[in-house]
Amino acid sequence: MCGIVARIGRGNATETLLSSLESLEYRGYDSAGIAVQNGSGVKVHKCSGEVSDLKSSLDHEPHGNMGIGHTRWSTHGPPTDENAHPHTDSAGDVAVVHNGVIENYDELKAELQENGHEFESDTDTEVIPHLIDEYRSETDDTETAVRRAVDTLEGSYAIAAIVDGEEAVYAVRKGSPLVLGLGADEWYLASDVPAFLDHTDEVIYLEDGDVVVLEPDSYRLTDAEGTPVERSVETVDWDPEDAGKGEYDHYMLKEIHNQPSSLANTIDGRVDDGEISLEEFPPGTFADVDTVQFVACGTSYHAALYGSQLLRSAGVRTDVIRASEYETATGPVDENTLVVAVTQSGETADTLDAVRKGADRGGRTLAVTNVVGSTIARESDDALYIRAGPEVGVAATKTFSSQAVTLALLTQRLAEDVPEASPPGDQAEMLETLADLPAHVETILESTHAEELAREYLGSESYFFIGSGLGHPVSLEGALKFKEITYEHAEGFAAGQLKHGPLALVTEESPIFAICTGNADGKTKTNAIEAQSRGAPIIAVGSADNPIADVAETTLEIPDTHPVWAGLLANVQLQLVSYHAADLLERPIDKPRNLAKSVTVE
């Protein structure tokens, strides 16, 4: 889950490397470092802490036309100066940055130490520059040495390396994302596109086994056997401004406020004259499907729950499986099984593994993701993009909304295609009201009193979120957001489950957020009142006339809409509550402790 960058071309690389690392800090911010090649050696600068700490530690700007950089999310070894990347060989001639996990590093390290190599860190990564150095002494060719080094590695990696005296960046990818950016006078490598979006929108998504050698005026791309390969050049349609904070204090707040436009983009062209219009999946596409399996993690799992409820209510056999548990929790899979992977980044390791296992068992695979060219989009049989634009805040906001809408439309197409299934009787109304969703979100953003409410209940012992039907996944997502960025205890439950154990935790210091969608709200009201009788304050989240409004201490209001979309509007209010509570607590909202945006290790 670390972020790596590289740049080679004309002019000094340092400023570009540092700004690129700042754009990748959502992938890790335990430590940071750069290595620059300037013709008089490889100069490494690194420290624990964030990229801003690295910048302030530089007493001058290192000069060189090429370099590599890294921002770390710790897996092997604590976040110390010594464990920060880049790592070098004993002589400091080879510098390497790495995203991934080297599973056999203990064995490799022991062998290298027997050969006289000395190590300075606790990381798995440090074996890589030593291996390259070992093989360079045998072959006198760096590219060959890099290939031999990675052949010994077990695990996942995206690696970039530079070597003293050579005007080249060497990079390899296996199991971790790596993108090549093609500029006018320079080349870039990064874990994700936002790193170089200010400089170019022309990219090549590298595939497993690809080896790329960047030189000042050219690049060479070969496969694991050394055979030249061609990969398509794609144009990223993200606006560079979308990846910046703009006038907002935090990326998360910007991305919450970006939801009207991101949702409009998600919806655009997908409903035509009251009918589902998914260009990728015309009517009849799923006529041979009889079972759907959703696989996902975290926020994407909650979006999958949202979609699965809609699909199940239409009469389609549906399972929702946490991707990390797919191998042990899944039922039978055959050619009539559709495995739908939901992942914002398209690089989530557990979800990728689940999709591969589903395909191996004969299932058809479909990726619902935000990133064109991502690994899961390339490896799945089909892909459906949520079109939310770049999301930098670690806590997902606009991508959840766009995932849920995309899945709702997909479920309607499935319900129309799958034999013996049927769309809901009010599908026309559902699709008609979808067009109002962006404007309804805008109304919430302009009228919410979430900040005042967050201030009122700040310092409570626990925060509980309950809902029934489509309110249940929203309750889970609301609690996840709250705990992610406030570090306070929060839990979400299906409303009816509150009295089956969790009620023991309820006190007058346990506010209950009750999500009302306009469907199945009776159970939510009953359980909210039970909690209230134990002293808990109740905050209704729903329309002005929601059934809990008359007993709740207050209501976070949402505009009247179809029940399918009401939960998503309620979720916006809960995002704002979480944001303002975290802001009042002075938490690092965009960089919550121990978390990173894209979980690329299992």
Side-chain angles (χ1 to χ4, degrees), residues 10-296:
R10 300 176 185 174
N12 193 17
T14 300
E15 183 177 347
T16 301
L17 291 172
L18 292 171
S19 64
S20 295
L21 289 178
E22 288 178 320
S23 298
L24 285 183
E25 277 198 292
Y26 57 85
R27 298 184 63 88
Y29 30 86
D30 291 335
S31 61
I34 60 171
V36 177
Q37 161 73 280
N38 61 5
S40 61
V42 174
K43 307 299 182 183
V44 175
H45 305 266
K46 61 182 183 176
C47 67
S48 60
E50 300 179 5
V51 177
S52 59
D53 298 309
L54 173 65
K55 293 173 71 173
S56 63
S57 72
L58 297 174
D59 54 11
H60 68 283
E61 184 175 283
H63 187 78
N65 74 318
M66 54 176 286
I68 55 178
H70 189 274
T71 182
R72 183 171 186 244
W73 186 79
S74 304
T75 54
H76 290 80
T80 62
D81 291 352
E82 293 77 15
N83 290 335
H85 297 214
H87 290 289
T88 66
D89 64 323
S90 299
D93 293 335
V94 180
V96 167
V97 291
H98 162 233
N99 171 38
V101 174
I102 307 304
E103 296 170 357
N104 61 335
Y105 84 100
D106 278 331
E107 173 189 337
L108 294 171
K109 184 175 181 177
E111 293 175 0
L112 288 162
Q113 287 174 322
E114 287 181 6
N115 291 341
H117 292 263
E118 297 181 359
F119 287 77
E120 298 181 354
S121 78
D122 303 315
T123 70
D124 55 339
T125 300
E126 197 179 356
V127 300
I128 302 172
H130 287 275
L131 286 169
I132 295 173
D133 175 60
E134 182 89 352
Y135 293 126
R136 281 181 76 237
S137 66
E138 298 176 8
T139 65
D140 199 32
D141 179 79
T142 300
E143 184 176 347
T144 301
V146 169
R147 291 181 182 277
R148 289 184 62 181
V150 298
D151 281 346
T152 69
L153 304 179
E154 297 176 6
S156 62
Y157 47 81
I159 297 166
I162 58 175
V163 177
D164 183 26
E166 300 186 22
E167 274 202 301
V169 177
Y170 302 89
V172 191
R173 175 218 157 117
K174 178 191 172 186
S176 292
L178 194 59
V179 187
L180 171 61
L182 311 178
D185 298 311
E186 52 196 3
W187 315 116
Y188 306 90
L189 286 165
S191 299
D192 205 351
V193 170
F196 50 71
L197 196 55
D198 282 337
H199 304 281
T200 182
D201 59 2
E202 299 294 313
V203 305
I204 295 175
Y205 294 95
L206 301 180
E207 299 187 11
D208 278 357
D210 283 354
V211 178
V212 61
V213 180
L214 306 182
E215 296 175 328
D217 299 314
S218 64
Y219 68 88
R220 291 185 287 111
L221 187 58
T222 56
D223 63 16
E225 286 72 43
T227 304
V229 295
E230 291 188 10
R231 303 285 183 228
S232 61
V233 178
E234 301 189 31
T235 301
V236 178
D237 62 358
W238 290 350
D239 187 327
E241 292 187 4
D242 289 343
K245 281 192 291 190
E247 63 185 20
Y248 295 92
D249 291 335
H250 298 93
Y251 284 108
M252 182 180 180
L253 185 60
K254 177 191 175 181
E255 287 154 4
I256 292 172
H257 280 259
N258 189 233
Q259 285 175 112
S261 60
S262 61
L263 283 168
N265 201 39
T266 298
I267 298 165
D268 184 42
R270 289 177 165 172
V271 178
D272 183 19
D273 199 22
E275 300 287 338
I276 301 291
S277 179
L278 297 179
E279 181 179 350
E280 306 90 335
F281 308 110
T285 299
F286 302 110
D288 59 347
V289 171
D290 60 23
T291 303
V292 176
Q293 294 179 341
F294 290 96
V295 293

Side-chain angles (χ1 to χ4, degrees), residues 430-463:
M430 169 187 160
L431 296 178
E432 181 180 353
T433 53
L434 175 59
D436 297 324
L437 187 60
H440 285 162
V441 173
E442 191 68 55
T443 297
I444 290 172
L445 296 173
E446 292 172 352
S447 62
T448 183
H449 65 284
E451 183 175 5
E452 292 83 353
L453 190 144
R455 189 181 301 275
E456 180 178 354
Y457 292 104
L458 202 67
S460 297
E461 292 177 353
S462 295
Y463 301 81

Side-chain angles (χ1 to χ4, degrees), residues 525-602:
K525 180 175 183 177
T526 299
N527 285 272
I529 291 173
E530 286 185 0
Q532 190 179 50
S533 70
R534 272 77 177 175
I538 304 301
I539 300 99
V541 190
S543 61
D545 61 350
N546 74 81
I548 305 178
D550 58 338
V551 297
E553 274 67 25
T554 188
T555 293
L556 285 168
E557 289 188 17
I558 66 172
D560 288 321
T561 188
H562 191 279
V564 168
W565 314 124
L568 302 185
L569 296 175
N571 183 64
V572 175
Q573 288 281 25
L574 297 179
Q575 291 171 350
L576 290 164
V577 170
S578 297
Y579 171 81
H580 288 298
D583 194 37
L584 290 165
L585 291 166
E586 299 184 347
R587 305 300 193 212
I589 291 172
D590 290 328
K591 303 171 185 177
R593 67 187 178 201
N594 305 330
L595 301 179
K597 182 78 174 166
S598 180
V599 185
T600 57
V601 294
E602 294 184 48

